[in-house]
Amino acid sequence: MRRRGVPTLKAKRAIEAAMQGRANVLDVPTVDSTHALARDLRRFGFGMYVVFPVAVDVRKLRERLGLTQEQFSLRFGLELDAVRNWEYGRRQPDKAARSYLAVIERDPEMVQDALAVPVD
Protein backbone atom coordinates (compact mmCIF):
# COMPACT_ATOMS: atom_id res chain seq x y z
CA MET A 1 0.00 0.00 0.00
CA ARG A 2 2.89 2.33 0.71
CA ARG A 3 4.03 1.99 -2.91
CA ARG A 4 0.63 3.27 -3.97
CA GLY A 5 0.75 6.41 -1.83
CA VAL A 6 -1.15 5.29 1.29
CA PRO A 7 0.38 6.83 4.43
CA THR A 8 1.95 4.26 6.75
CA LEU A 9 -0.44 4.83 9.66
CA LYS A 10 -3.52 4.50 7.41
CA ALA A 11 -2.14 1.33 5.85
CA LYS A 12 -1.41 -0.11 9.31
CA ARG A 13 -4.93 0.69 10.54
CA ALA A 14 -6.49 -0.83 7.42
CA ILE A 15 -4.51 -4.05 7.88
CA GLU A 16 -5.38 -4.21 11.58
CA ALA A 17 -9.08 -3.73 10.81
CA ALA A 18 -8.96 -6.44 8.15
CA MET A 19 -7.22 -8.83 10.54
CA GLN A 20 -10.03 -8.27 13.03
CA GLY A 21 -12.56 -9.07 10.32
CA ARG A 22 -13.88 -5.52 10.03
CA ALA A 23 -14.68 -3.89 6.73
CA ASN A 24 -12.51 -0.95 5.83
CA VAL A 25 -12.55 1.86 3.30
CA LEU A 26 -9.25 3.17 2.08
CA ASP A 27 -8.32 5.79 -0.48
CA VAL A 28 -5.42 4.57 -2.59
CA PRO A 29 -4.09 7.63 -4.45
CA THR A 30 -1.78 5.93 -6.96
CA VAL A 31 -3.39 3.07 -8.85
CA ASP A 32 -2.04 2.29 -12.28
CA SER A 33 -4.24 -0.78 -12.59
CA THR A 34 -7.16 -1.70 -10.35
CA HIS A 35 -6.75 -5.31 -11.51
CA ALA A 36 -3.11 -5.38 -10.38
CA LEU A 37 -4.05 -3.86 -7.02
CA ALA A 38 -6.86 -6.40 -6.55
CA ARG A 39 -4.47 -9.23 -7.47
CA ASP A 40 -1.89 -8.00 -4.93
CA LEU A 41 -4.51 -7.69 -2.20
CA ARG A 42 -5.95 -11.15 -2.93
CA ARG A 43 -2.45 -12.60 -2.66
CA PHE A 44 -2.42 -11.40 0.95
CA GLY A 45 -5.99 -12.54 1.67
CA PHE A 46 -7.81 -9.24 1.21
CA GLY A 47 -10.78 -8.46 -1.03
CA MET A 48 -11.34 -5.20 -2.82
CA TYR A 49 -14.24 -3.18 -4.15
CA VAL A 50 -13.79 -0.04 -6.18
CA VAL A 51 -16.25 2.80 -5.74
CA PHE A 52 -16.53 5.25 -8.61
CA PRO A 53 -19.34 7.79 -8.49
CA VAL A 54 -20.67 7.35 -11.99
CA ALA A 55 -22.06 10.05 -14.21
CA VAL A 56 -25.85 10.11 -14.15
CA ASP A 57 -27.93 11.60 -16.94
CA VAL A 58 -30.04 13.85 -14.73
CA ARG A 59 -32.57 14.67 -17.45
CA LYS A 60 -33.16 10.98 -18.28
CA LEU A 61 -33.48 10.11 -14.61
CA ARG A 62 -35.91 12.94 -13.94
CA GLU A 63 -38.00 12.10 -17.01
CA ARG A 64 -38.03 8.40 -16.10
CA LEU A 65 -39.49 9.41 -12.74
CA GLY A 66 -42.06 11.60 -14.51
CA LEU A 67 -41.02 14.76 -12.66
CA THR A 68 -40.48 18.35 -13.69
CA GLN A 69 -37.17 19.97 -12.79
CA GLU A 70 -38.86 21.72 -9.88
CA GLN A 71 -40.52 18.53 -8.61
CA PHE A 72 -37.26 16.61 -8.89
CA SER A 73 -35.32 19.25 -6.98
CA LEU A 74 -37.96 19.48 -4.25
CA ARG A 75 -38.41 15.71 -3.88
CA PHE A 76 -34.70 15.04 -3.46
CA GLY A 77 -33.55 18.23 -1.72
CA LEU A 78 -31.54 19.60 -4.62
CA GLU A 79 -31.17 23.20 -5.71
CA LEU A 80 -33.31 23.90 -8.78
CA ASP A 81 -30.48 25.92 -10.37
CA ALA A 82 -28.12 22.96 -9.91
CA VAL A 83 -30.55 20.57 -11.63
CA ARG A 84 -30.97 23.01 -14.51
CA ASN A 85 -27.22 23.56 -14.86
CA TRP A 86 -26.57 19.80 -14.89
CA GLU A 87 -29.26 19.17 -17.49
CA TYR A 88 -28.14 21.98 -19.78
CA GLY A 89 -24.49 20.95 -19.49
CA ARG A 90 -23.35 24.20 -17.92
CA ARG A 91 -21.98 22.33 -14.91
CA GLN A 92 -21.18 18.79 -13.85
CA PRO A 93 -22.26 17.41 -10.46
CA ASP A 94 -19.39 17.13 -7.99
CA LYS A 95 -18.41 13.73 -6.55
CA ALA A 96 -20.90 13.89 -3.67
CA ALA A 97 -23.76 14.91 -5.98
CA ARG A 98 -22.84 12.12 -8.45
CA SER A 99 -22.94 9.61 -5.60
CA TYR A 100 -26.32 10.93 -4.43
CA LEU A 101 -27.73 10.91 -7.97
CA ALA A 102 -26.54 7.31 -8.42
CA VAL A 103 -28.45 6.31 -5.28
CA ILE A 104 -31.55 8.15 -6.52
CA GLU A 105 -31.22 6.37 -9.86
CA ARG A 106 -30.98 2.97 -8.17
CA ASP A 107 -33.80 3.38 -5.62
CA PRO A 108 -35.68 6.70 -5.73
CA GLU A 109 -38.42 5.50 -3.37
CA MET A 110 -35.88 4.55 -0.70
CA VAL A 111 -34.27 8.00 -0.97
CA GLN A 112 -37.65 9.71 -0.72
CA ASP A 113 -38.57 7.58 2.32
CA ALA A 114 -35.25 8.35 3.99
CA LEU A 115 -35.77 12.10 3.49
CA ALA A 116 -39.42 12.14 4.53
CA VAL A 117 -40.18 13.76 7.86
CA PRO A 118 -43.59 13.04 9.40
CA VAL A 119 -45.70 16.04 10.27
CA ASP A 120 -47.91 15.96 13.37
Side-chain angles (χ1 to χ4, degrees):
M1 286 195 241
R2 287 285 309 130
R3 266 186 321 174
R4 293 184 168 97
V6 177
T8 304
L9 184 58
K10 284 188 178 184
K12 177 183 180 283
R13 287 183 180 153
I15 291 168
E16 288 171 345
M19 291 173 65
Q20 294 173 358
R22 296 188 327 240
N24 198 319
V25 177
L26 187 64
D27 180 26
V28 181
T30 307
V31 178
D32 295 333
S33 164
T34 54
H35 297 292
L37 176 58
R39 186 179 58 246
D40 289 349
L41 289 172
R42 274 194 306 276
R43 193 173 56 206
F44 295 104
F46 297 103
M48 179 180 110
Y49 295 92
V50 178
V51 178
F52 290 111
V54 296
V56 173
D57 186 329
V58 179
R59 175 176 279 137
K60 272 187 187 173
L61 171 60
R62 178 182 59 74
E63 289 174 348
R64 181 173 60 90
L65 297 174
L67 301 172
T68 66
Q69 288 177 338
E70 186 174 7
Q71 290 168 334
F72 184 80
S73 66
L74 289 171
R75 181 166 294 177
F76 297 111
L78 298 164
E79 294 293 328
L80 179 57
D81 286 342
V83 171
R84 288 181 175 151
N85 286 330
W86 298 335
E87 286 194 14
Y88 298 135
R90 290 189 291 257
R91 292 215 171 132
Q92 294 297 316
D94 63 14
K95 190 186 296 188
R98 285 194 314 269
S99 296
Y100 183 49
L101 291 165
V103 174
I104 294 169
E105 185 171 53
R106 176 171 254 170
D107 196 344
E109 290 80 19
M110 181 274 305
V111 174
Q112 186 173 343
D113 290 347
L115 295 175
V117 178
V119 178
D120 294 331

